[in-house]
Amino acid sequence: MSIIQEKDKRFLLFVERLVKKGLMGVVLFLLDEIQKLEDRISGTLKGEDGHTPTEKELVALIEPLIPEPIKGKDGRDGVNGKDGINGIDGENGKNGERGMDGKDGVDGSPDSPQQIREKLESLKGDDRLDKSAIKGLEEEIEKLRQIRTSRTGALGGVLSVGVRVETPEGTIDGVNTIFTAYKFPKYVVGDGITYFENQGYTYSAKTLTMTIPPSNYLRSFY
């Protein structure tokens, strides 16, 4: 872009601002001055020496007529917005009530099953434990009575009630707990106490293992 074109652009912007501000008198005055300048340029172009003015010479003639651009005023700063209102804090929850403490459990016996058995066996006379104190013992004794009265042969034979009795093989001395029973037992009676599988004995591959070793007798009912 040439210098003249840049100056023309600046002049047109200046004229536009004057028009917007209602200064038409100033605009007309400038246009009249420009016309006079054009006439001077035209007379120069038609000079007797035939010299055509250069761009630099034309700029020197036009530039004094173009005013400097008017600088606009700075705008005002906007007003800051107001802070929002803080919300109300919620109330704290109530503490839960403490539950009642549980009662202390009863202390267990420090004796082992074998020690308890030995203590029971050491009782004499009326101090001995009554059979009614053992849950289910009277019922088992009654079953044995029925078996005894209804059996057809010696102990271990076929019984009319459909229950058979086997005497497991093994040492009965109050210490040994391993015995051999050839038939899968329904229940076992040792020293007058009835035991059921996993509740006094276990049975696997003909091996009968007692929890409490018998000291008098052992029978397997199958």
Side-chain angles (χ1 to χ4, degrees):
M1 181 181 291
S2 66
I3 298 176
I4 295 178
Q5 290 175 331
E6 179 64 26
K7 294 294 184 178
D8 289 343
K9 183 177 180 181
R10 289 172 54 191
F11 178 74
L12 291 175
L13 290 175
F14 175 72
V15 171
E16 182 179 357
R17 291 174 183 170
L18 293 177
V19 172
K20 287 181 179 181
K21 292 183 178 182
L23 302 176
M24 288 299 299
V26 177
V27 174
L28 294 175
F29 171 76
L30 291 176
L31 293 176
D32 184 60
E33 292 297 323
I34 291 172
Q35 184 63 44
K36 293 178 180 180
L37 179 61
E38 289 179 350
D39 293 340
R40 291 174 60 190
I41 294 172
S42 177
T44 304
L45 293 175
K46 297 177 182 180
E48 296 178 357
D49 58 0
H51 172 69
T52 300
T54 63
E55 181 175 317
K56 185 175 181 181
E57 293 173 339
L58 292 175
V59 169
L61 293 173
I62 296 173
E63 190 173 20
L65 301 176
I66 300 176
E68 292 295 328
I70 300 173
K71 184 178 180 181
K73 295 182 180 180
D74 294 335
R76 295 181 180 179
D77 295 334
V79 180
N80 294 329
K82 295 182 180 180
D83 295 335
I85 299 174
N86 293 330
I88 299 174
D89 295 335
E91 296 182 0
N92 294 329
K94 296 181 179 180
N95 295 327
E97 295 182 1
R98 179 179 178 181
M100 298 177 62
D101 294 334
K103 295 181 179 180
D104 295 335
V106 180
D107 294 336
S109 174
D111 296 336
S112 65
Q114 184 174 352
Q115 291 173 327
I116 293 174
R117 177 181 61 80
E118 292 175 353
K119 288 181 179 181
L120 292 175
E121 291 177 350
S122 65
L123 299 176
K124 303 296 182 181
D126 293 337
D127 293 334
R128 291 181 297 176
L129 188 66
D130 188 81
K131 63 180 180 180
S132 62
I134 303 176
K135 183 178 179 181
L137 179 58
E138 292 185 350
E139 289 81 357
E140 295 301 327
I141 293 176
E142 182 61 27
K143 289 180 182 179
L144 291 175
R145 288 173 181 170
Q146 293 177 4
I147 292 172
R148 181 175 297 177
T149 57
S150 62
R151 66 183 181 176
T152 59
L155 189 62
V158 178
L159 306 179
S160 60
V161 294
V163 180
R164 297 182 180 183
V165 182
E166 178 183 5
T167 301
E169 297 178 357
T171 303
I172 297 178
D173 56 3
V175 177
N176 179 48
T177 59
I178 307 300
F179 299 88
T180 300
Y182 295 96
K183 301 295 184 181
F184 189 91
K186 293 181 179 179
Y187 59 92
V188 172
V189 178
D191 295 340
I193 302 176
T194 301
Y195 302 99
F196 295 92
E197 187 175 13
N198 297 323
Q199 295 181 357
Y201 74 88
T202 58
Y203 182 80
S204 177
K206 298 182 180 181
T207 300
L208 178 66
T209 304
M210 299 296 298
T211 302
I212 299 176
S215 58
N216 294 316
Y217 70 90
L218 180 66
R219 299 293 183 270
S220 173
F221 293 83
Y222 64 93

